[in-house]
Amino acid sequence: MDACVKVKVDGVMDSSEEHETGEWDSSSDKESVASCVDSAVEDMSLDCLETVLEEFSDYDASDNDWNPEVTPRKKRKSGLSSVSPSPAKSCRSSPASAQSRKGKVKRSGVNRSLPFSLCISENKWKSTDEPDTEPTQPVFKPRQAPGPQLVSNASCSPLQYFELFFSKSVMRTILANSNAYGAMRQEGMKKPWQDISVKDFKTFLALVIYMGLLKCFQLTDYWRKSHMYSLPYPALIMSSRKFMTISKALHLSDPKVDAENDQKKGTPEYDRLCKIKPLYQDIRDACRATFHPFQNISIDERMVASKARHGLKQYMKNKPTKWGYKLFVLADSLCGYTWDFFIYEGKVNSEESKGISYDSVMILADERLLGTGYKLFVDNFYTSPKLFRDLLAKRIWACGTVRANRIGHSKKHAPRGNIRWFREDDLLFVEWKDKRDVLMCSTFHKAFNGDTIKRNVKGADGVWAIQDFPVPAAVLDYNKHMGGVDLSDALISFYTVLHKTRRWYRSFFYHFVDIAVVNAFILHQQMAKMKNQKPLTQKAFREALVAELAGTGPPSAPAQIRPIPSTDSHLPKYISGDSSIGRRKCKMCTFKTPVKCATCDVPLCFVPKRDCFTSWHEQGSCSESEEE
């Protein structure tokens, strides 16, 4: 890959970024803006830089147009955004009109809309020949030991890890609300509602996770009896009718509370997340309680795919998942553990709000737990001088990319590997020339430490060769530690349980199951690493979890090494000599059987629909039982 910053150089570009870049990319617009302020810039002292940097955080184009309900219109031929900016944020006024507004309140709004590059002259930038003072490095003293907050010598099964997030109390709450909702829907019908039991709900969860391992186009395909769709496992643990009944009755909140909340629509007291609030809060608390992040953390967006007609739905043009519900996630950069997150509910019209990019970081960056020398990595959607200074005041150091129109970015040609920088108090701004320009801001990096990076470059003679180019330390650390949320998203996407549903809150339920399973798997990995053991793969972990939830096999079956099949003779035999007396629980399933293997002395089902006897010996499990 030629570009050093792999996936985060340009950052997240949503519909709001489209408007912002559209506003500043037109060359004619830039010339008109420059002509408006040239004379002011020449007379302006560099002392104004601090003020402009502080005001820069207020300039957040992402707040202009979070409009997920309508597909963004195409840009006009002139290259400008189809949504005209408000007067307070427009920079295209003529010099005469700008002078007519002198002394008015709107003047400050116009100033904030201008990128602060207009206040930075070219001689402000320094080259790598000029030494930079290394800033104070964070002393990492976490309140808790980083990693799983479990007993180090504990041996947990996949189900026990999963129940750290879906505890028995959480399941009881979901069951109580689902049974109340199902009884309400069934009211007035001939057949009364039958409550869902804990065992039924666990089996339902097992099938939901199983459907992430084995994909079918429709849910009914899992129970089809044709040769093409002959899947015996779903029918073995639950009927199609019961699964659909539980799925339609699934409800996370109390229906009475929902009815009271619906009466508040149109008022400030209305809670848009009321229908997911119980599980939403429980999952967030469990994520923070069972793991403490390592020093490097990252914040980024995540999309939960959905095209439902709902006010929470968002549109993000340059995301793989363009339509869906938007979450802001704080993840551990080392392992991808989702430590905290919150759901974006839309633009907040509040005087205290400083823009979603600023507010989202401040919501997730818990000063009490993270203000102990943590290093936060963000992309250019979040980076601003005010945010980084406020984080530093909380003892949270930060590093991130910067948008070109927010810094004194020069489009003059420079050789590859060229580095220039300037420092303003605790903030370092550095520009690096790779295949494309990379601009960074950091509170804990030095401009240049002598690091180099290899690039495959085509020479003048047409021959490609590997060359070393200087690179700032901020770029190297950003590439290494920014991918925490991306890693978490990848682990979820491999075996996601999310599928189409008619109710928006059920989409969140499936995503919460994904978070619980992936975080449980990461805990298993970290615990195995602490014990110098080889962890399961995510696929094997999910298979073991499904078997435990459904009660269809020993908890550690996937973790065992597959034994060599025995070559001895194995014949079925009645346990007590009578087919109706002395039944015992089958070794492979939950049903009782009067038959056992004469050689292995293990009870096994031996009927046409459940031929556990044959399956047991084909897997070679008999050799293990004989060793025991």
Side-chain angles (χ1 to χ4, degrees):
M1 182 177 295
D2 289 333
C4 182
V5 180
K6 302 169 186 175
V7 293
K8 295 294 179 183
V9 171
D10 292 330
V12 177
M13 176 82 71
D14 57 9
S15 58
S16 63
E17 293 180 62
E18 176 184 346
H19 295 179
E20 182 181 354
T21 54
E23 183 176 349
W24 289 100
D25 283 346
S26 174
S27 59
S28 60
D29 291 342
K30 289 181 179 178
E31 293 172 0
S32 64
V33 172
S35 64
C36 295
V37 297
D38 275 345
S39 58
V41 172
E42 291 174 0
D43 298 333
M44 191 178 296
S45 171
L46 290 178
D47 294 337
C48 70
L49 177 61
E50 177 70 21
T51 303
V52 179
L53 289 176
E54 288 292 337
E55 292 179 344
F56 162 61
S57 62
D58 293 336
Y59 174 72
D60 195 344
S62 62
D63 288 346
N64 295 352
D65 41 20
W66 288 91
N67 188 6
E69 295 302 321
V70 181
T71 303
R73 300 176 183 175
K74 295 181 179 179
K75 294 183 179 180
R76 297 177 183 174
K77 292 182 180 179
S78 62
L80 303 179
S81 170
S82 61
V83 179
S84 59
S86 60
K89 295 190 177 183
S90 176
C91 300
R92 301 190 181 93
S93 55
S94 62
S97 63
Q99 293 174 1
S100 66
R101 286 196 298 268
K102 287 184 178 179
K104 295 184 179 180
V105 178
K106 289 185 178 180
R107 182 180 178 184
S108 62
V110 173
N111 288 341
R112 281 198 301 271
S113 69
L114 296 175
F116 63 80
S117 60
L118 297 179
C119 240
I120 301 174
S121 59
E122 281 294 317
N123 57 14
K124 181 72 175 177
W125 291 93
K126 301 178 182 179
S127 66
T128 53
D129 296 333
E130 302 178 66
D132 180 26
T133 304
E134 185 173 0
T136 303
Q137 294 300 302
V139 179
F140 186 50
K141 294 182 178 180
R143 289 182 174 271
Q144 302 170 11
Q149 301 303 298
L150 305 172
V151 180
S152 58
N153 59 355
S155 180
C156 301
S157 66
L159 178 58
Q160 290 171 322
Y161 285 120
F162 179 76
E163 286 180 341
L164 292 173
F165 306 93
F166 269 76
S167 62
K168 294 179 180 178
S169 62
V170 171
M171 291 187 184
R172 282 196 296 267
T173 302
I174 296 175
L175 281 176
N177 295 332
S178 298
N179 285 326
Y181 181 73
M184 184 179 67
R185 292 178 71 250
Q186 201 80 1
E187 188 176 356
M189 297 185 180
K190 294 181 180 180
K191 189 176 180 180
W193 171 257
Q194 294 182 353
D195 284 351
I196 306 167
S197 65
V198 176
K199 182 180 178 181
D200 290 339
F201 184 69
K202 284 188 174 182
T203 307
F204 172 79
L205 280 175
L207 276 176
V208 167
I209 299 171
Y210 170 81
M211 290 171 181
L213 290 167
L214 196 65
K215 300 290 186 181
C216 285
F217 184 73
Q218 294 181 339
L219 292 179
T220 53
D221 291 339
Y222 289 97
W223 286 270
R224 286 177 64 178
K225 298 299 182 183
S226 64
H227 293 292
M228 192 172 293
Y229 291 93
S230 183
L231 301 173
Y233 190 76
L236 176 66
I237 61 176
M238 179 176 281
S239 66
S240 172
R241 181 174 296 179
K242 179 175 266 190
F243 180 87
M244 296 301 178
T245 300
I246 297 175
S247 181
K248 291 177 182 178
L250 184 64
H251 209 76
L252 307 182
S253 59
D254 189 343
K256 294 180 181 179
V257 176
D258 292 343
E260 295 174 359
N261 186 61
D262 289 340
Q263 295 176 357
K264 301 176 184 177
K265 279 188 176 180
T267 66
E269 291 78 20
Y270 177 69
D271 187 359
R272 302 178 73 182
L273 302 179
C274 179
K275 291 188 177 182
I276 64 170
K277 218 44 170 299
L279 182 58
Y280 174 38
Q281 197 58 48
D282 286 338
I283 290 293
R284 286 187 67 184
D285 293 341
C287 289
R288 291 192 295 264
T290 56
F291 185 89
H292 199 73
F294 296 91
Q295 186 175 16
N296 298 299
I297 54 179
S298 62
I299 290 178
D300 206 348
E301 304 96 43
R302 174 185 295 165
M303 293 291 286
V304 179
S306 176
K307 289 191 177 180
R309 292 177 176 269
H310 193 268
L312 291 175
K313 187 182 63 177
Q314 301 288 315
Y315 175 82
M316 297 187 69
K317 179 181 177 182
N318 287 356
K319 281 283 188 180
T321 303
K322 293 177 173 55
W323 292 98
Y325 307 113
K326 184 173 183 175
L327 281 70
F328 289 93
V329 181
L330 188 153
D332 183 88
S333 298
L334 180 65
C335 59
Y337 182 94
T338 299
W339 190 74
D340 196 9
F341 64 93
F342 74 91
I343 299 167
Y344 178 65
E345 300 182 52
K347 184 177 179 180
V348 179
N349 295 321
S350 173
E351 295 181 357
E352 298 179 358
S353 176
K354 298 178 182 178
I356 184 59
S357 58
Y358 179 95
D359 294 343
S360 59
V361 174
M362 285 302 179
I363 291 172
L364 294 173
D366 187 346
E367 179 182 3
R368 185 176 62 86
L369 294 174
L370 302 180
T372 54
Y374 275 86
K375 297 178 181 179
L376 174 65
F377 294 84
V378 294
D379 63 21
N380 59 29
F381 176 73
Y382 306 91
T383 304
S384 72
K386 180 169 179 56
L387 173 64
F388 279 24
R389 284 196 175 100
D390 290 350
L391 287 173
L392 193 59
K394 295 184 176 185
R395 295 188 57 80
I396 300 175
W397 281 254
C399 174
T401 52
V402 183
R403 293 177 181 173
N405 64 341
R406 290 182 170 182
I407 195 171
H409 174 52
S410 174
K411 292 189 176 181
K412 294 181 180 178
H413 177 72
R416 193 169 190 173
N418 182 68
I419 299 174
R420 65 175 191 163
W421 61 277
F422 73 89
R423 184 175 291 280
E424 191 64 36
D425 296 334
D426 298 317
L427 298 181
L428 168 71
F429 294 91
V430 59
E431 178 188 84
W432 179 56
K433 295 284 184 178
D434 195 29
K435 187 175 181 181
R436 45 184 172 174
D437 296 341
V438 181
L439 298 104
M440 305 289 299
C441 178
S442 176
T443 57
F444 62 93
H445 283 106
K446 189 178 177 181
F448 183 62
N449 289 330
D451 299 311
T452 59
I453 192 169
K454 295 185 181 297
R455 288 287 184 264
N456 195 15
V457 181
K458 187 176 183 179
D461 55 355
V463 178
W464 291 86
I466 302 295
Q467 294 184 20
D468 289 333
F469 293 97
V471 58
V475 173
L476 294 177
D477 282 350
Y478 181 87
N479 283 336
K480 185 177 180 181
H481 302 299
M482 180 56 205
V485 178
D486 293 334
L487 175 58
S488 177
D489 291 347
L491 291 172
I492 289 175
S493 65
F494 292 151
Y495 306 102
T496 180
V497 305
L498 181 67
H499 56 259
K500 291 182 180 179
T501 177
R502 295 182 179 180
R503 304 293 182 184
W504 67 271
Y505 52 85
R506 290 174 192 158
S507 296
F508 281 109
F509 169 78
Y510 295 128
H511 184 63
F512 293 157
V513 172
D514 273 330
I515 292 176
V517 174
V518 170
N519 277 359
F521 168 64
I522 293 173
L523 289 177
H524 161 73
Q525 280 187 319
Q526 293 295 314
M527 292 295 288
K529 184 179 179 180
M530 291 167 60
K531 299 176 184 179
N532 293 323
Q533 298 176 352
K534 184 178 180 180
L536 297 174
T537 63
Q538 187 184 180
K539 182 171 179 286
F541 181 88
R542 286 179 179 258
E543 289 171 351
L545 178 58
V546 169
E548 285 189 88
L549 283 169
T552 57
S556 57
Q560 296 172 354
I561 300 174
R562 186 182 180 89
I564 301 173
S566 175
T567 56
D568 298 338
S569 175
H570 296 269
L571 297 174
K573 177 184 178 181
Y574 284 115
I575 294 173
S576 62
D578 191 331
S579 62
S580 59
I581 300 175
R583 292 173 178 265
R584 292 166 58 188
K585 190 174 181 180
C586 176
K587 188 71 173 176
M588 292 196 69
C589 67
T590 58
F591 296 95
K592 289 189 176 181
T593 176
V595 179
K596 68 176 182 179
C597 175
T599 305
C600 303
D601 195 27
V602 173
L604 297 164
C605 294
F606 192 52
V607 291
K609 292 185 178 179
R610 297 192 311 277
D611 191 1
C612 298
F613 185 90
T614 304
S615 301
W616 173 265
H617 292 89
E618 285 180 349
Q619 291 179 3
S621 301
C622 53
S623 61
E624 183 186 352
S625 62
E626 289 171 355
E627 290 175 2
E628 293 176 354

